[in-house]
């Protein structure tokens, strides 16, 4: 991350010809056999199972995708990603001697439509409210879900490491780490 400004990514890409089959696993920005990649994969699978209602978490108020869908929407399939929350101005505070930085990182879930909007693909006229509601619900209850599924705490830590590496890179900090 520091050397190449690469962004770690995991995506479980379904085969359009066999949507029920095993997805193609895509890993970028980190070694495929690393603990970093394994944690991202484990968190992605866990998020998808929780969102589908297959793995139930006892978090009052949290609504799965299955719960947001009406009876007519049951055949809809949406894709979701765990994504770091972009820090805003003032969210990262660096000491004057650049020896320390303080920030609070966060994780959110984006639906395919939300990701397209984030990446600038707007005006397509496509939105699916239940998917956005499910993504927003997971995001709102992320910390509580993470207390029940520790992989999400580990993922948050990895996102924080990436943010620290970006801060170091921008500040030109040299470190053996």
């Amino acid at each position: 991350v520091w050397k190449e400004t690469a962004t770690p990514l995991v995506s479980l890409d379904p085969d359009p010809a066999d949507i029920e089959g095993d997805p193609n696993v895509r890993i970028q920005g980190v070694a495929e056999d690393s603990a970093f990649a394994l944690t991202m994969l484990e968190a992605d699978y866990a998020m998808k199972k929780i969102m589908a209602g297959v793995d139930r978490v006892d978090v009052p108020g949290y609504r799965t995708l299955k719960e947001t869908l009406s009876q007519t929407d049951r055949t809809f399939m949406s894709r979701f990603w765990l994504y770091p929350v972009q820090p805003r101005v003032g969210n990262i505070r660096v000491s004057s001697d650049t020896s320390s930085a303080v920030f609070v990182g966060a994780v959110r879930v984006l639906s395919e439509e939300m990701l397209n909007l984030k990446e600038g693909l707007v005006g397509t006229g496509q939105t699916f409210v239940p998917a956005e509601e499910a993504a927003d619900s997971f995001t709102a209850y992320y910390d509580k879900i993470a207390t029940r599924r520790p992989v999400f705490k580990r993922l948050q830590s990895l996102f924080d490491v990436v943010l620290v590496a970006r801060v170091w890179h921008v500040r030109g900090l040299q470190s053996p780490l």
Side-chain angles (χ1 to χ4, degrees):
V1 172
W2 185 87
K3 288 180 182 177
E4 300 171 13
T5 67
T7 300
L9 165 90
V10 163
S11 185
L12 302 172
D13 302 327
D15 179 353
D18 182 15
I19 200 77
E20 298 294 322
D22 290 336
N24 296 316
V25 176
R26 189 166 34 112
I27 299 171
Q28 295 173 305
V30 294
E32 290 184 9
D33 62 347
S34 66
F36 202 124
L38 181 60
T39 298
M40 289 192 304
L41 276 171
E42 185 182 343
D44 199 42
Y45 274 118
M47 178 264 298
K48 287 171 172 55
K49 287 179 184 177
I50 291 168
M51 297 255 322
V54 174
D55 179 10
R56 301 200 48 83
V57 291
D58 184 26
V59 175
Y62 168 67
R63 296 183 67 219
T64 66
L65 176 61
K66 184 177 179 181
E67 292 167 336
T68 65
L69 293 171
S70 71
Q71 289 302 319
T72 58
D73 296 328
R74 293 287 179 191
T75 59
F76 175 80
M77 288 294 295
S78 187
R79 298 183 66 198
F80 297 92
W81 289 270
L82 292 156
Y83 214 85
V85 172
Q86 178 70 35
R88 297 178 189 253
V89 174
N91 283 1
I92 302 173
R93 300 177 190 264
V94 180
S95 66
S96 58
D97 66 355
T98 68
S99 66
S100 59
V102 176
F103 64 87
V104 175
V107 178
R108 64 182 171 169
V109 174
L110 296 178
S111 69
E112 192 161 15
E113 297 82 8
M114 295 164 90
L115 184 63
N116 286 338
L117 180 64
K118 181 180 181 354
E119 294 180 353
L121 185 60
V122 296
T124 61
Q126 295 180 335
T127 186
F128 191 66
V129 174
E132 291 180 30
E133 288 176 354
D136 288 342
S137 183
F138 199 105
T139 299
Y141 291 95
Y142 186 89
D143 291 337
K144 290 181 181 177
I145 293 169
T147 62
R148 288 157 176 79
R149 301 296 182 277
V151 67
F152 296 115
K153 287 183 181 183
R154 293 193 312 270
L155 182 71
Q156 172 68 58
S157 296
L158 294 178
F159 283 2
D160 290 347
V161 167
V162 171
L163 182 56
V164 166
R166 291 256 191 251
V167 169
W168 284 359
H169 185 78
V170 168
R171 300 297 253 166
L173 180 68
Q174 298 293 323
S175 169
L177 294 176

